[in-house]
Amino acid sequence: MRIDILSLFPQIATASLAESIIGRAQQRALVEIHSHNIRDWATDKHRTTDDTPYGGGQGMVMKCEPIFEAVSALRTEGCRVLFMTPAGAPFEQKTAQRFASDCKHLILLCGHYEGVDQRVVDQLVHEEISIGDYVLTNGVIAAVVVVDAIVRLLPEVLGDAASAVEESFATGLLEFPQYTRPVEFQGLRVPEILLGGNHAAISQWRREQALAKTQTTRPDLLA
Ligand code: ADE
């Protein structure tokens, strides 16, 4: 898979995605990620990327020209252009799974200021994506979240294939609690059932715990 991120702060994405599992996935050539500055496609003397809104109002709007140039330069046949915006469709585990399995090339366009010129959205964007009902200073932060959630699902990225299957959301439930050594810490003991080696009983207990956790924290998932 190839991923291009278009923003005004490309270092935020480059730095965040260079670490840990996603960093190693890039080194192992399991994914190719390029973070670009939209300003590089601005052609006027001051390399302008934003301007005041028609009709008046607060803030600035990102201009069409550099974004059209950037997307034309980067897009390939069959690629999907995603626009990161709080006004988008909610990004969920199933969205990440769809992109991981169906797409060879993604372009993530990241807004800043009050938004982008609507002609960009109408002409270039396939899907508008929100990572939650809150407003970030910059869509590139949301893009990092989306890229992380997708890339960890790509073949061979996670060491243990089972770890992506059992985790929260993949099963429709939140995760059961986990414990490791020591068996007693500051008087707090690990639940006895986990120490007995009865795998059927442990599975049953974990499922009950996952159900109870989901019921208290996210009853909407059970409905
Ligand atoms: N840009 C600003 N806030 C955002 C959000 N919640 N999701 C996606 N992009 C954003």
Side-chain angles (χ1 to χ4, degrees), residues 59-114:
M60 301 291 270
V61 176
M62 286 172 74
K63 291 166 65 62
C64 286
E65 301 95 315
I67 299 176
F68 270 74
E69 288 293 326
V71 172
S72 323
L74 295 170
R75 75 175 147 205
T76 54
E77 205 178 311
C79 83
R80 281 197 87 67
V81 180
L82 314 181
F83 175 46
M84 307 312 303
T85 166
F91 182 75
E92 295 175 353
Q93 189 64 23
K94 65 173 191 289
T95 329
Q97 275 154 356
R98 174 165 59 87
F99 291 136
S101 59
D102 298 356
C103 298
K104 289 271 160 290
H105 184 194
L106 292 171
I107 298 178
L108 276 65
L109 176 62
C110 305
H112 189 48
Y113 312 115
E114 295 308 300

Side-chain angles (χ1 to χ4, degrees), residues 144-160:
V144 168
V145 171
V146 166
V147 169
D148 184 282
I150 295 168
V151 171
R152 64 189 288 287
L153 297 176
L154 296 177
E156 293 175 58
V157 169
L158 294 185
D160 180 1

Side-chain angles (χ1 to χ4, degrees), residues 3-213:
I3 300 175
D4 289 285
I5 303 170
L6 282 168
S7 76
L8 292 173
F9 297 93
Q11 329 77 263
I12 294 177
T14 309
S16 322
L17 298 167
E19 303 286 334
S20 184
I21 293 173
I22 310 301
R24 284 197 296 280
Q26 291 187 74
Q27 286 162 13
R28 293 164 64 208
L30 300 174
V31 62
E32 203 180 305
I33 304 173
H34 301 273
S35 186
H36 312 270
N37 196 331
I38 294 169
R39 203 173 290 285
D40 293 344
W41 281 277
T43 49
D44 64 310
K45 191 168 131 217
H46 299 291
R47 309 208 132 204
T48 317
T49 54
D50 63 308
D51 207 336
T52 51
Y54 276 119
Q58 288 282 304
M60 301 291 270
V61 176
M62 286 172 74
K63 291 166 65 62
C64 286
E65 301 95 315
I67 299 176
F68 270 74
E69 288 293 326
V71 172
S72 323
L74 295 170
R75 75 175 147 205
T76 54
E77 205 178 311
C79 83
R80 281 197 87 67
V81 180
L82 314 181
F83 175 46
M84 307 312 303
T85 166
F91 182 75
E92 295 175 353
Q93 189 64 23
K94 65 173 191 289
T95 329
Q97 275 154 356
R98 174 165 59 87
F99 291 136
S101 59
D102 298 356
C103 298
K104 289 271 160 290
H105 184 194
L106 292 171
I107 298 178
L108 276 65
L109 176 62
C110 305
H112 189 48
Y113 312 115
E114 295 308 300
V116 308
D117 190 301
Q118 185 60 30
R119 290 166 290 190
V120 166
V121 180
D122 293 343
Q123 300 300 314
L124 303 178
V125 171
H126 297 111
E127 293 183 50
E128 296 177 78
I129 303 278
S130 167
I131 64 159
D133 290 344
Y134 39 79
V135 181
L136 303 166
T137 55
N138 197 306
V140 73
I141 298 165
V144 168
V145 171
V146 166
V147 169
D148 184 282
I150 295 168
V151 171
R152 64 189 288 287
L153 297 176
L154 296 177
E156 293 175 58
V157 169
L158 294 185
D160 180 1
S163 51
V165 177
E166 278 217 346
E167 67 197 0
S168 294
F169 303 113
T171 57
L173 297 175
L174 301 183
E175 265 184 284
F176 50 78
Q178 298 272 24
Y179 298 86
T180 187
R181 278 185 280 266
V183 74
E184 189 170 323
F185 173 71
Q186 295 185 350
L188 307 167
R189 270 188 73 75
V190 170
E192 288 307 320
I193 188 136
L194 298 176
L195 308 175
N198 180 341
H199 295 296
I202 291 172
S203 285
Q204 158 97 19
W205 179 85
R206 284 178 165 166
R207 179 155 174 87
E208 285 161 13
Q209 293 289 315
L211 267 167
K213 167 78 180 156

